[in-house]
Amino acid sequence: MAGQFEAIPGGGAAVALDEVEISILRSLAVQLLELIGPGDEPAQGEDPLASLFAEGPSEPPEDPALARLFPDAYGDDDTELKEFSAEFRRFTENDLRSRKREDGMALVRTLDGLTSAGESGAVLKLTPEACLHWLGALNDLRLTIGTRLEVTDEDEGNELYRLPDSDPRKPMVMAYLWLGSLQESLVETLMP
């Protein structure tokens, strides 16, 4: 089970993680949550339903990683399509941010809830619902890191994957590949 998710009875999945892996996953998830930003919780005394009708931003984020997490609905330079993208973003981005925060928080909470088995780590057991949150969070982490590393579709087999240990990007490339392996094994585990 080391490093790969496996199905557990009743649905869900489990994976053995050592202390370093737990620490890395938690740190990356917290950084992702900081990047996404805090939620717009209703102020005390404010109608909680008002947030359902709150409009979000109409412009794409300037940060390339956030732009990747919250892409335009219509990726064209056409003026009319830009207007449609702005309209779509205004009514969907707040919900999308909220879901991404929920996924990241679910990852952090499950890691915080692990009972350590000493230096060897622990076995993480996820319910079917927690698996979906983890898939979302792992995907968002990979998109963010991939954007920071400027990974493209053409990078398969690229020199980025054969960096010398002295390259400062090496740890992030290793994290990117490891997260991809975790994500792939979770998807395969959940498939019928």
Side-chain angles (χ1 to χ4, degrees):
M1 181 186 304
Q4 299 292 311
F5 279 96
E6 293 181 7
I8 56 176
V15 64
L17 298 170
D18 65 31
E19 291 296 322
V20 172
E21 292 169 328
I22 293 168
S23 176
I24 291 170
L25 274 170
R26 189 180 190 293
S27 175
L28 290 172
V30 167
Q31 290 175 57
L32 177 66
L33 289 167
E34 290 172 355
L35 178 68
I36 292 170
D40 295 330
E41 300 298 322
Q44 189 172 355
E46 186 179 314
D47 180 7
L49 293 178
S51 65
L52 291 175
F53 301 103
E55 292 184 7
S58 60
E59 294 295 320
E62 290 186 23
D63 182 311
L66 283 175
R68 183 70 175 101
L69 291 174
F70 305 105
D72 273 337
Y74 308 99
D76 198 301
D77 289 335
D78 181 273
T79 304
E80 186 175 13
L81 290 179
K82 281 187 177 194
E83 290 174 18
F84 290 147
S85 283
E87 193 79 3
F88 184 81
R89 178 179 301 283
R90 197 166 74 231
F91 293 111
T92 61
E93 187 171 314
N94 286 345
D95 287 339
L96 186 55
R97 278 183 187 270
S98 186
R99 185 183 56 81
K100 290 180 182 300
R101 271 191 295 279
E102 287 173 19
D103 291 345
M105 286 303 301
L107 191 145
V108 170
R109 285 187 190 113
T110 55
L111 291 174
D112 287 350
L114 283 176
T115 306
S116 178
E119 288 184 28
S120 62
V123 175
L124 173 72
K125 293 182 180 178
L126 300 175
T127 65
E129 181 182 348
C131 287
L132 297 178
H133 286 296
W134 268 69
L135 280 174
L138 289 171
N139 187 61
D140 290 342
L141 287 169
R142 287 193 70 241
L143 286 173
T144 302
I145 293 170
T147 302
R148 296 286 191 241
L149 291 170
E150 299 178 349
V151 174
T152 65
D153 291 338
E154 294 80 36
D155 283 333
E156 289 302 317
N158 192 329
E159 76 277 349
L160 188 62
Y161 299 111
R162 293 184 298 279
L163 293 175
D165 290 342
S166 60
D167 192 300
R169 299 171 296 167
K170 180 79 173 209
M172 289 314 306
V173 170
M174 297 306 294
Y176 176 79
L177 296 173
W178 175 59
L179 290 168
S181 174
L182 273 179
Q183 184 181 19
E184 182 178 353
S185 74
L186 184 53
V187 167
E188 289 173 356
T189 299
L190 297 176
M191 294 192 62

